[in-house]
Amino acid sequence: FPGVHFFPPAKARKMARRCNELSAELNARWPERYGAFALVPMHNSKHAVEEIDYAFDTLNLDGVCLFTSYGEIFLGDPKFDPVLAALNDRNAVVFIHPAYDKKKISLPYPGFMLEYTFDTTRAATNLMFSGALERFPRVRFILSHAGGALPYLAWRLYVAPKTSSKIPQWSYEKILAGVRHFWYDTAMSAGPQMMACLYSVVGEERVVFGSDWPFAPEPVVTEAVKNLSAPDVYSAAKRAAMARGNALALFPRFGK
């Protein structure tokens, strides 16, 4: 699970440490099979940085999980700069998963169906337009669920400032560079049209396989694997890059 923010601060710190140490034990027992992202208690930046230091220096974990937002505050807000600075210093891989408060939306549909994708889009856009990607360029962010709606909305982000002075005016080339700064996983996003949009915007090097299992049940994962393995849709080179090659660029220890 991406985080422990739903616990009170003290319990969140304890649960993060407990989960991270368990993950490290599994990695040590089966180093060729398992890797893990650290959970970080985000109520307090000082405590978050302490756990990041412990996760990398003592436990040798492979990266960090963060939610798209904490309360009403999204990644990219200056409040989180100390955390991103610590991750930037380590050239860290950061997996971003959406957060969702069902009380905010009155529609009857489960959060993962629609709202997760929009929450990821909000966080990624804020990381871009807040300047966080430029302040912390060495952090390697993976966006879950093909980045939500971000690839599809790239041109809209470019033209939006023409209607409002509150939005930074970026060239389309800069918008695309920002969108291509991220990596994108395929969890719950294996439809051929959706993947075609993703590839057309971000290219082949930034797409990595994701399943969402066990939250996505076996029939969903089976359908996704079938779609992503279709030889009449994807070349052998593209399938290999998606399934393994691009991930090895982020986690080279698994290629040894």
Side-chain angles (χ1 to χ4, degrees), residues 117-234:
T117 59
F118 301 137
D119 218 58
T120 298
T121 307
R122 295 181 189 106
T125 301
N126 200 47
L127 284 165
M128 291 168 56
F129 282 163
S130 69
L133 297 188
E134 295 173 326
R135 296 196 302 275
F136 311 109
R138 297 176 62 204
V139 181
R140 294 169 291 169
F141 294 104
I142 304 172
L143 300 179
S144 55
H145 314 136
L150 183 66
Y152 178 79
L153 294 177
W155 191 80
R156 189 180 182 95
L157 298 183
Y158 162 61
V159 298
K162 301 180 186 302
T163 67
S164 173
S165 60
K166 296 180 180 180
I167 308 171
Q169 178 67 66
W170 286 13
S171 68
Y172 193 44
E173 290 73 20
K174 186 173 181 179
I175 292 288
L176 289 178
V179 172
R180 291 167 179 165
H181 183 91
F182 300 101
W183 276 260
Y184 297 79
D185 86 7
T186 64
M188 294 289 289
S189 306
Q193 293 80 13
M194 189 174 188
M195 292 298 297
C197 174
L198 177 63
Y199 274 120
S200 71
V201 175
V202 309
E204 297 185 11
E205 296 80 14
R206 296 284 172 152
V207 180
V208 296
F209 176 76
S211 69
D212 239 347
W213 188 87
F215 298 103
E218 184 176 346
V220 174
V221 178
T222 300
E223 182 73 14
V225 171
K226 181 183 74 173
N227 282 2
L228 297 173
S229 302
D232 57 332
V233 179
Y234 305 106

Side-chain angles (χ1 to χ4, degrees), residues 4 12 25 31 34 38 48 56 61 71 75 113 129 143-144 157 181 187 214 239 247:
V4 292
E25 290 178 15
Y34 287 101
F56 283 103
L61 297 186
L75 295 180
M113 180 175 162
F129 282 163
L143 300 179
S144 55
L157 298 183
H181 183 91
R239 296 198 308 272

Side-chain angles (χ1 to χ4, degrees), residues 29-43:
R29 291 173 65 184
W30 296 289
E32 296 180 356
R33 294 184 60 190
Y34 287 101
F37 295 131
L39 301 183
V40 180
M42 291 288 286
H43 293 88

